[in-house]
Amino acid sequence: MGSTQQQLQEPWILENGGNNIKGLSRELRHGRTAHNMSSSSLRKKSSLTLVQKIPFGWLRKFVANFQEVILGTKLSILFIAVPLAIFAELYGLGRPWIFLFSLIGLTPLAERVSFLTEQIAYYTGPTVGGLLNATCGNVTELIIAIFALTSGQVAVVKYSLLGSILSNLLLVLGTSLLCGGIKNINVEQKYDRRQADVNSLMLLLALLCHLLPLLFRYTGAPIADTDASALHLSRAASIIMLLAYFAYLVFQLFTHRQLFEAEEAEGGENDSEEEAEIGLWSGVAWLIVMTLIIALLSEYVVGTIEAASDSWGLSVSFLSIILLPIVGNAAEHAGAIIFAFKNKLDISLGVALGSSTQIALFAVPVCVIVAWIADIQMDLNFKILETDHAGGTNMNLKSPTGAVLSAQ
């Protein structure tokens, strides 16, 4: 009877699939997000039998943490690319090799950052854990963008951020829905419509803020005036987007947390089944180390992307839009597809839409404001799909009146 009354009082559970929501909410009470859960599909349990035989306590603890952090993922073999990238940089090997090793090394590092934020969230609670996940969710893209800004490569910043949004919305979401639909072809797939609605509305806000500076180009005013106006409007829009993003965090983590958390699952399932695998301060220390390594490899990527472009015969725009986002979030993307196979669309949608929302409303405005502070002119006019940027050439066409049209 109580279950029937609960369903009548909360009809959205029936509409959106109550089981999936309950499964998701149990994770969120530990501060875990869809990003964490998508990456968890690539983790593996480590045996501590041999570690317990180490006589020294401090050494035993370090080896146990090392085994959990470094070897506790199916991508651990890719960590070898990190010392290879450093070796290639120190001994002056080919810069394309530095770019390649750095990209490969960023893949397990991004997954491990997700793991460490999850471990810290076990001690800090869901609110602080959620804020930590919101900050570190796309730390790789943000660090690469900041290094590109400091080196004056504004185009690379725009390429990589736009590529991350497109890869999440088109590649990850499309592949997840396709694979999940094929695998569960005779099963009705359900998801929490409210979370999808919130993320879609936030993306719509980001789209409007990005469109306004772009429209200045078509006002017919002199280019110098439109560029200055677009720059000022971009900075104002960035502040608005950051305020909207922080309001979204307050909405999700404080004022309306109940909308993102369902009732506890009935039966023998409880939150005590899962425990932290490493200590709080060990998790913080490892998170700092991982972030510093990501910063180092990001600096290598930014410094060698042009050399890799020349050597491989691929444009910088292709490497930034296609390669950087896919490789940097490969673990997260693979996890989203795996959960779609398991008919857990809440997690897949949370990865694709949530990551896109975070980049559009947080990473992009932060880069604009950082560029503003550093006196670098970066606006929200993403002129990425132009012929001269994509192909490195300028294509002239003739209109029916005989006038020459130039792709700017």
Side-chain angles (χ1 to χ4, degrees):
M1 177 65 68
S3 176
T4 304
Q5 292 177 351
Q6 177 184 347
Q7 291 176 350
L8 292 175
Q9 293 172 356
E10 299 182 357
W12 50 265
I13 295 182
L14 294 176
E15 177 183 0
N16 298 303
N19 292 333
N20 285 348
I21 297 177
K22 289 180 180 179
L24 183 59
S25 66
R26 288 196 304 274
E27 307 292 345
L28 289 176
R29 279 194 294 273
H30 287 307
R32 299 177 69 185
T33 64
H35 299 80
N36 298 111
M37 288 180 279
S38 67
S39 298
S40 65
S41 61
L42 297 176
R43 296 171 191 167
K44 61 180 181 180
K45 287 290 184 178
S46 301
S47 175
L48 301 178
T49 304
L50 296 178
V51 176
Q52 294 175 351
K53 297 180 180 180
I54 298 178
F56 303 103
W58 62 270
L59 182 59
R60 181 169 60 251
K61 184 177 180 180
F62 173 78
V63 174
N65 288 337
F66 181 87
Q67 186 170 340
E68 290 291 346
V69 175
I70 303 300
L71 303 179
T73 172
K74 297 176 183 177
L75 302 175
S76 57
I77 187 63
L78 299 181
F79 274 113
I80 194 174
V82 176
L84 289 177
I86 298 175
F87 177 84
E89 173 68 19
L90 292 178
Y91 290 92
L93 299 183
R95 300 190 70 76
W97 286 105
I98 302 175
F99 179 81
L100 179 62
F101 289 143
S102 300
L103 273 186
I104 297 175
L106 286 173
T107 301
L109 288 171
E111 191 273 331
R112 290 289 85 185
V113 167
S114 176
F115 166 76
L116 291 169
T117 55
E118 174 190 332
Q119 295 300 304
I120 295 174
Y122 279 104
Y123 300 96
T124 60
T127 301
V128 178
L131 292 173
L132 187 62
N133 286 322
T135 305
C136 300
N138 291 284
V139 65
T140 304
E141 293 95 332
L142 193 57
I143 292 177
I144 290 177
I146 291 177
F147 272 108
L149 268 181
T150 56
S151 62
Q153 302 184 49
V154 177
V156 173
V157 178
K158 293 183 176 181
Y159 291 154
S160 60
L161 293 177
L162 181 61
S164 296
I165 297 175
L166 293 178
S167 66
N168 278 290
L169 292 180
L170 300 180
L171 177 63
V172 179
L173 183 58
T175 306
S176 298
L177 294 177
L178 177 62
C179 295
I182 294 175
K183 177 64 170 59
N184 306 278
I185 193 169
N186 295 322
V187 180
E188 182 181 1
Q189 293 185 282
K190 298 180 180 181
Y191 62 92
D192 185 3
R193 193 182 69 182
R194 295 167 307 144
Q195 296 190 36
D197 288 344
V198 170
N199 283 304
S200 298
L201 290 175
M202 299 301 286
L203 285 173
L204 178 60
L205 172 63
L207 174 63
L208 295 175
C209 291
H210 284 74
L211 276 179
L212 290 177
L214 178 64
L215 295 178
F216 268 96
R217 187 185 183 95
Y218 304 100
T219 58
I223 296 179
D225 296 339
T226 58
D227 287 347
S229 300
L231 181 61
H232 296 317
L233 182 60
S234 297
R235 291 168 176 173
S238 298
I239 296 176
I240 293 175
M241 286 191 288
L242 281 178
L243 292 176
Y245 182 72
F246 290 133
Y248 165 71
L249 292 181
V250 172
F251 175 83
Q252 183 177 10
L253 299 176
F254 295 98
T255 61
H256 292 74
R257 182 189 295 175
Q258 69 277 6
L259 296 180
F260 295 86
E261 294 182 358
E263 296 294 328
E264 295 185 8
E266 299 178 358
E269 298 175 348
N270 54 67
D271 293 335
S272 62
E273 292 178 353
E274 297 185 5
E275 298 179 354
E277 298 177 3
I278 61 176
L280 172 61
W281 295 112
S282 297
V284 172
W286 278 105
L287 182 61
I288 294 174
V289 171
M290 292 292 177
T291 304
L292 292 176
I293 298 176
I294 289 176
L296 178 64
L297 296 185
S298 300
E299 184 179 6
Y300 290 168
V301 167
V302 172
T304 58
I305 187 171
E306 293 183 354
S309 173
D310 296 337
S311 176
W312 298 344
L314 300 173
S315 64
V316 174
S317 60
F318 177 84
L319 294 178
S320 302
I321 295 177
I322 305 299
L323 203 57
L324 284 182
I326 293 178
V327 175
N329 291 310
E332 183 179 287
H333 295 174
I337 297 172
I338 291 173
F339 277 105
F341 272 109
K342 298 178 181 180
N343 197 16
K344 296 183 178 181
L345 286 184
D346 277 329
I347 301 177
S348 299
L349 290 175
V351 171
L353 298 180
S355 182
S356 299
T357 301
Q358 188 177 60
I359 294 172
L361 287 179
F362 179 72
V364 174
V366 164
C367 289
V368 173
I369 293 178
V370 169
W372 186 8
I373 296 174
D375 198 21
I376 299 173
Q377 293 188 354
M378 176 182 172
D379 56 23
L380 295 176
N381 187 3
F382 282 66
K383 303 174 290 186
I384 307 247
L385 301 181
E386 295 177 355
T387 306
D388 55 341
H389 282 290
T393 59
N394 188 16
M395 184 174 67
N396 295 326
L397 301 175
K398 283 190 177 181
S399 69
T401 60
V404 176
L405 305 178
S406 178
Q408 298 293 326

